[in-house]
Amino acid sequence: MFNKLQISNFEIENRSVRAATATGNCDKLTGIPDQKFYDIYESLSRGHVGLVIFEHAFVSLRGKADHNQLGIHDDSMTQYHAKVNQIMRAVNDKIRTCCQLAHAGAACSVENKINLNTASVQELDEVVQQYKNAAIRAKSAGYDCIQIHASNPFLLGQSISPQLNSRSDSYNAQDFKLFRQVLDSVSGILPIGVKIQCDGLDAENTTVLFKLLKEFKFHFVEITGSNQIAPVRTKVDLNGDQYYNQKVIMKLKQMHLDQPIIVTGGFQTVEGANIALNDGADMVGFSRKFLRNDKFLIDGDKLECKKCNQCFKNLFDYKESCCVSRQAKII
Ligand SMILES: Cc1cc2nc3c(=O)[nH]c(=O)nc-3n(C[C@H](O)[C@H](O)[C@H](O)COP(=O)(O)O)c2cc1C
């Protein structure tokens, strides 16, 4: 876990990743972060995590998923992203940061949402341009890389899903057209990662994942299990670890890919993460665990995440996603 890793043009101090985790600490109309947001990321920086993937940031107001979601939809937002990067680097100049770009498509909370199945070509062209603009802002704000959020049911997740994409034109599920256009538009701005959700080897998204990895070359790929559905337990629990995507990692290893893989989903401990690293993953992502204890990599870690998912449910009640078991304030 504590070995370095080179991704594209930057080095990461160790193999731990704070997987994207919406904090619910942004203004509900503008997406501008509040003070708590900065405090959370500053605190995370003190915990020796290698790569912090920021919570999903909407690339346009029509792509806004949650009430209190972070925005990167406008040039005026760059200053807030720059500020949080500066705060984090002042604490730990080796920390690496990733801006997650998202368009929630039909899953948006706004009225004029875009459903891939009925969207006009012009609307989709606008989305492609919005991703490009957001990536340029991410670069000026000082992030090391971007991550394209392509999990279901967001717009790009929908576009690559045979179940959710019912278009029969060139934007059909098999040809990955929108996905390809978005990748082309952000290419060369910052190193690019992609996040795909796949729960178990036979799931639809896993098939899509293998096809995507054959057709595209990313700087890194994150595969995750859902925090909402029953996990596919493939490894005996170890101090509460449930390694949701072990079968996928084993299969990916056989594909001999040369792009780094982050596996996320169910991990609680360094020991559990080491199992995934030994299986061939390059990095291990933790989301709920960091909400429970953002110093678990360095403090002897006695705090267990109960996986109650109240953190996630809070977001839907327009509250912060903080852990209900976490007694302490941000330290
Ligand atoms: C409160 C909460 C907020 C999340 N926000 C995001 C997000 O903004 N973007 C994203 O890609 N995934 C998000 N996720 C999913 C996590 O990144 C991760 O894939 C999932 O929780 C499984 O990892 P875990 O078992 O370590 O929690 C969120 C999860 C939680 C619990």
Side-chain angles (χ1 to χ4, degrees):
M1 174 66 113
F2 295 102
N3 295 336
K4 296 181 192 227
L5 179 72
Q6 185 77 28
I7 290 188
S8 184
N9 60 354
F10 61 95
E11 187 178 70
I12 304 181
E13 270 300 282
N14 63 56
R15 307 308 181 93
S16 66
V17 178
R18 198 299 292 256
T21 307
T23 61
N25 290 111
C26 301
D27 181 84
K28 61 175 184 268
L29 290 178
T30 61
I32 295 175
D34 65 15
Q35 186 54 45
K36 185 82 178 286
F37 172 95
Y38 297 111
D39 293 346
I40 288 169
Y41 284 95
E42 178 175 22
S43 182
L44 259 174
S45 313
R46 297 186 193 282
H48 286 190
V49 58
L51 175 68
V52 174
I53 302 179
F54 270 65
E55 56 203 275
H56 58 165
F58 56 90
V59 298
S60 88
L61 282 170
R62 287 184 78 185
K64 189 168 184 287
D66 300 327
H67 223 59
N68 300 331
Q69 192 186 347
L70 177 64
I72 192 158
H73 55 297
D74 189 275
D75 286 347
S76 66
M77 297 303 297
T78 309
Q79 60 185 306
Y80 308 109
H81 290 268
K83 179 174 168 184
V84 70
N85 272 280
Q86 281 156 14
I87 289 172
M88 293 171 79
R89 286 182 212 284
V91 172
N92 173 4
D93 63 1
K94 295 204 166 63
I95 200 157
R96 298 296 174 236
T97 59
C98 176
C99 185
Q100 188 184 66
L101 305 181
H103 191 300
C108 279
S109 54
V110 296
E111 278 177 16
N112 59 344
K113 59 180 98 174
I114 296 180
N115 186 328
L116 177 92
N117 293 331
T118 51
S120 67
V121 172
Q122 189 190 339
E123 283 176 315
L124 296 179
D125 284 347
E126 280 167 15
V127 168
V128 171
Q129 187 59 42
Q130 286 156 356
Y131 269 95
K132 179 173 185 176
N133 294 343
I136 292 169
R137 290 177 200 122
K139 182 171 185 178
S140 5
Y143 288 101
D144 297 290
C145 53
I146 53 171
Q147 184 184 58
I148 304 296
H149 191 318
S151 302
N152 287 337
F154 282 14
L155 187 65
L156 290 181
Q158 183 185 8
S159 79
I160 58 175
S161 162
Q163 282 176 2
L164 300 179
N165 179 349
S166 59
R167 288 184 79 119
S168 53
D169 65 358
S170 56
Y171 290 96
N172 64 66
Q174 284 69 40
D175 291 341
F176 301 145
K177 179 170 176 181
L178 182 63
F179 189 82
R180 195 181 307 278
Q181 287 178 320
V182 166
L183 277 181
D184 285 348
S185 80
V186 299
S187 173
I189 298 172
L190 280 174
I192 304 167
V194 65
K195 180 168 183 174
I196 309 266
Q197 185 170 311
C198 46
D199 293 291
L201 193 56
D202 299 318
E204 169 219 328
N205 287 337
T206 313
T207 314
V208 171
L209 173 72
F210 295 151
K211 189 167 172 235
L212 271 181
L213 294 184
K214 280 188 185 144
E215 285 196 27
F216 295 90
K217 187 155 166 41
F218 311 100
H219 294 104
F220 65 93
V221 177
E222 180 184 4
I223 61 162
T224 184
S226 165
N227 50 43
Q228 290 295 295
I229 66 163
V232 182
R233 286 195 192 195
T234 55
K235 199 85 188 174
V236 178
D237 274 13
L238 175 79
N239 298 328
D241 284 287
Q242 299 164 11
Y243 170 8
Y244 298 167
N245 278 310
Q246 187 176 32
K247 286 184 187 165
V248 182
I249 290 296
M250 304 302 267
K251 179 86 180 169
L252 287 175
K253 198 176 168 186
Q254 290 164 13
M255 289 171 72
H256 301 295
L257 297 167
D258 59 355
Q259 37 199 327
I261 303 288
I262 302 172
V263 62
T264 299
F267 295 100
Q268 288 252 351
T269 64
V270 171
E271 290 83 355
N274 277 332
I275 294 173
L277 295 172
N278 286 333
D279 282 346
D282 298 281
M283 300 189 80
V284 177
F286 305 82
S287 166
R288 290 168 293 179
K289 180 64 186 188
F290 274 118
L291 285 176
R292 179 72 178 102
N293 176 15
D294 65 2
K295 306 293 180 311
F296 80 94
L297 292 167
I298 52 170
D299 73 356
D301 187 27
K302 299 273 186 294
L303 302 174
E304 190 191 353
C305 161
K306 296 188 170 54
K307 298 184 174 151
C308 68
N309 287 333
Q310 190 57 48
C311 52
F312 200 77
K313 290 175 195 132
N314 282 350
L315 291 175
F316 291 96
D317 294 334
Y318 310 138
K319 293 184 196 148
E320 298 170 58
S321 62
C322 54
C323 175
V324 287
S325 304
R326 187 172 173 181
Q327 301 298 323
K329 301 178 290 299
I330 302 296
I331 40 176

